[in-house]
Amino acid sequence: MVHAVTVYSTPTCPYCKMAKAYMQENKVEFKDVDVSADEKAAQEMIDKSGQMGVPVIDVDGQVIVGFDREALKKALGLS
């Protein structure tokens, strides 16, 4: 199944890097949005999650705050 995945991140965030590496390891396509360079995207992330911290990961409309491996695995249907 193909999921609509957006990772709201910043270039300096170690948890963002881990989340993106996890996606790549599991061959999950995702859109990477740098909220440090895109004010509109940063506001969109805050509106979705109520959080200013990154990463915020949107999987098919389900918002996961932080790099939560178990929540990602469940949302993506990975074993």
Side-chain angles (χ1 to χ4, degrees):
M1 182 180 175
V2 177
H3 296 277
V5 181
T6 303
V7 178
Y8 296 93
S9 65
T10 63
T12 55
C13 160
Y15 291 102
C16 299
K17 289 183 175 91
M18 290 191 315
K20 291 185 272 191
Y22 180 78
M23 301 286 188
Q24 289 162 342
E25 283 163 21
N26 288 284
K27 299 184 178 24
V28 174
E29 285 189 30
F30 64 94
K31 180 178 167 192
D32 184 19
V33 179
D34 179 358
V35 294
S36 69
D38 187 338
E39 235 176 89
K40 193 172 157 222
Q43 189 56 53
E44 182 181 291
M45 175 191 82
I46 294 165
D47 292 344
K48 278 186 185 182
S49 68
Q51 301 289 318
M52 289 181 73
V54 287
V56 169
I57 305 162
D58 181 338
V59 180
D60 299 325
Q62 179 185 342
V63 175
I64 299 166
V65 177
F67 175 48
D68 182 337
R69 191 183 303 262
E70 287 307 309
L72 279 171
K73 194 188 284 190
K74 190 175 172 191
L76 294 165
L78 301 171
S79 49

